[in-house]
Amino acid sequence: MIADRKSGALLMLLDTLILAYGSYILSYLVPEAGDIWEPAKYAGLIALSAWIVWGILALWKKNANHHLLPIALFIVSVGWLEIYHLGLATGEVMQGPRQAIFTSISLGVFLFIAVCLRDYHILGDYKYVWLVVGLAIQFVVMLFGTTKYGATLWITFGNYSVQPVEFVKIMIVIFFAAFLRQFSSQNNNWFKSEEKRVRRRALISLGIGMAAAEFTLVIQRDLGMALLLFGIFISMFYVTSNRKDILACTFLLSSLGAYFCWKYFDHVQERVNNWLDPFCDYYDKGHQMCQAIFTLGNAGLDGTGLGLGGAHNIPIVINDFTFVAIVEEFGIFGASALIVAFILLAAHYFYVALKVKDEFGTILVTGLASMFAWQSIINMLGVTKSIPMTGIALPFVSAGGTSMVSCFVILSLIWVIDACDGGVSR
Amino acid sequence: MEQSVSEGLLYFLKFPLLLLIYTFVGTALWIVYKGLSDKSLGGRGSRSNSGHKTTTISDISNSGYASTVDDLNVTITGANGSSIDQAAVGTNKLSEMPTVTGMAIVSADDFYLEVLDSPSLTVRSINVDKEIVLGRSKDCDVRLSDKFVSSRHAKLAPVSDGLLLKDLGSSNGTCYNQKFIDKPVVVKEGEEFVIGDNRFACRRGKV
């Protein structure tokens, strides 16, 4: 794959066009009293900050991957247009502008990490710091967090609430990558290693990962997070150990575990029942899912057109069901193009993982990329009623500053690993 | 929410937006496709879509005319003596190679192979005094048993300024100078190449 500056600039230009044209459509949707230039202003904010960040990085590092940012920006743009419209339609007028501001803040974070983090090995050197900080944050959230929609995930400062778990995920991935690296470098088949110590530690690491996933499921009642952690661990573990039999065993065991969870835990059972037949509790628990199904049914091939959908009838559509709204207004055509963009970005991530020469980099990028991929898959499957609905946000799309910043942190880490590979040797 | 515009207008406004979205995705996919079939990056298409057939020293020795590079009696007289790869590509006949003349050379066993990293090999260095084949099958001179190595993966031969490395059409490629090679290269002293999970370096001296 080539990701040079010229084609990157072309993609950035197309992104800008999408934002410009989208904000032109949005200007028709602004209510009578509002300023019709407001969508254009905020679209301009996103485009300008993206161009600045992309431009600085393109001038600074010639051989870096200049496609990561434009492709992510494409997903952001489509999501932002939808969120702006949903904000107008649901009456929360500030959602669109807020999302634009969050996006430019995230782009700032992206630039900051890309410039400041010269050597990504430093992340691996402080692996226990990440673990301790991550667990501490989780603990603080459990004690002092705010409960919304049945899960304790938020910490509130005045008007703003952050979801620290988004960053904890990244810390855990960094820790796990640094942890797995110690085995992979010695021997390819470290389960067959003669040394008992290595074999034992390998099993312990697998155990820790699985235990963390189960812990989240049982204690925190966070089905999506458990599924996500499980997916990330499996991906990283498989990439490190290259053992298909362990993979199969883990899948078997976790299916068994899922079955027992379903059998003995009420909150899991409720989710599953709600997934199997949302219409049996239409006015209460199934309401969100039923509305989502109606909305999807309204989509058709080319969609209703931006501004004409009825997705604002879904409760909390702006956080969880943004993808459904996009499907409705952009149609199957538009939504499949968006999915292709997701696949493209994931492919670029995994390409970096294949290209990186050192093992820590490979495992870390695999973890971060599989996190992005699993999040997208879990959200898209959940909102289309293919798996039980979970509270995982769609990367780069769902409204919310924390989710956006964490997605750009992943993007910047992968950018740094791609850019400084070869320049730094250990 | 009351809307100040007719639904018909919005309905028609959506088509350019879809078109723009498809332009973006199409462009991005096309760039990826172009990148993957790009020769210099060693994509899958690289081996098949080179326009003309290239004859290389190792091809000739494969075809039975000569069993090793030594028997070919060729020498390299390029400016720095390192241009087998450049000479071999772009010419249709061996006789047209500008830098290859009919002299004997190959001062062998000046170079050996150091094993930097290997899941299967236990030796630390490999003698290359004649042409050797690396791969997974039993009849290879150096057997590498990890999964990313093809049965006959690569061929090494001693030349005057290093080791001539040629990929024998392996599925996972041979990596030299951060690129997958699609033509023979000369690995000079101190340089490294990667086959699957194995990393080798060329060293001067005897084993």
Side-chain angles (χ1 to χ4, degrees), chain A residues 190-414:
Chain A
W190 33 278
F191 270 99
K192 284 182 186 159
S193 167
E194 291 301 317
E195 266 189 272
K196 228 177 180 176
R197 190 177 57 86
V198 177
R199 223 163 41 197
R200 202 169 57 223
R201 292 189 77 175
L203 275 176
I204 288 172
S205 71
L206 184 64
I208 290 174
M210 292 303 118
E214 297 297 320
F215 175 81
T216 341
L217 183 63
V218 177
I219 309 286
Q220 288 224 304
R221 309 196 149 207
D222 197 343
L223 197 67
M225 183 69 181
L227 201 57
L228 183 60
L229 279 178
F230 177 75
I232 295 170
F233 286 146
I234 286 294
S235 312
M236 292 174 79
F237 201 78
Y238 177 59
V239 167
T240 324
S241 67
N242 191 18
R243 295 259 307 194
K244 289 197 185 68
D245 45 349
I246 295 277
L247 199 68
C249 266
T250 327
F251 265 113
L252 207 70
L253 277 175
S254 49
S255 317
L256 269 176
Y259 175 76
F260 281 110
C261 279
W262 172 72
K263 195 139 193 187
Y264 293 110
F265 292 110
D266 286 343
H267 63 282
V268 180
Q269 214 162 27
E270 193 180 281
R271 286 279 179 94
V272 174
N273 289 341
N274 199 10
W275 163 59
L276 289 174
D277 187 9
F279 287 95
C280 87
D281 192 3
Y282 176 79
Y283 290 102
D284 187 21
K285 295 204 173 74
H287 189 64
Q288 200 182 23
M289 197 69 240
C290 293
Q291 288 295 336
I293 292 168
F294 294 150
T295 310
L296 283 173
N298 197 17
L301 280 181
D302 54 351
T304 59
L306 185 60
L308 297 176
H312 48 85
N313 293 323
I314 310 173
I316 23 177
V317 58
I318 218 154
N319 296 97
D320 291 348
F321 283 83
T322 329
F323 185 67
V324 171
I326 291 175
V327 174
E328 191 196 15
E329 303 204 330
F330 293 78
I332 296 297
F333 288 153
S336 49
L338 188 69
I339 292 174
V340 170
F342 270 99
I343 294 172
L344 258 172
L345 190 55
H348 274 83
Y349 283 179
F350 283 116
Y351 180 71
V352 173
L354 282 172
K355 214 187 87 181
V356 171
K357 285 193 293 296
D358 111 312
E359 257 139 5
F360 175 59
T362 303
I363 304 171
L364 182 56
V365 177
T366 309
L368 295 172
S370 59
M371 184 161 133
F372 167 77
W374 280 114
Q375 271 191 25
S376 322
I377 291 170
I378 292 172
N379 181 288
M380 287 181 187
L381 290 180
V383 296
T384 50
K385 198 179 163 291
S386 311
I387 59 168
M389 180 60 197
T390 57
I392 295 288
L394 189 59
F396 294 115
V397 173
S398 293
T402 331
S403 160
M404 188 63 95
V405 172
S406 78
C407 289
F408 272 98
V409 169
I410 294 178
L411 190 76
S412 63
L413 287 178
I414 292 177

Side-chain angles (χ1 to χ4, degrees), chain A residues 2 7 10-11 14-15 21 28-29 32 67 70 74 88 188 242 302-303 305 307-308 330 333 336-337 340 344, chain B residues 1 3-5 7 9-11 13-18 21-22 24-25 27-28 31-32 35 41 147 178 197:
Chain A
I2 39 173
S7 49
L10 177 64
L11 294 181
L14 287 169
D15 278 333
Y21 184 73
Y28 284 108
L29 303 172
E32 297 279 337
H67 282 186
F74 170 76
L88 293 176
N188 213 16
N242 191 18
D302 54 351
L308 297 176
F330 293 78
F333 288 153
S336 49
V340 170
L344 258 172
Chain B
M1 176 117 335
Q3 276 167 354
S4 55
V5 68
E7 295 198 352
L9 177 60
L10 282 177
Y11 180 81
L13 281 179
K14 83 183 175 188
F15 291 108
L17 186 58
L18 278 179
I21 289 175
Y22 266 80
F24 179 90
V25 170
T27 315
I31 293 166
V32 168
L41 285 149
K147 280 182 183 169
Q178 301 163 37
D197 288 338

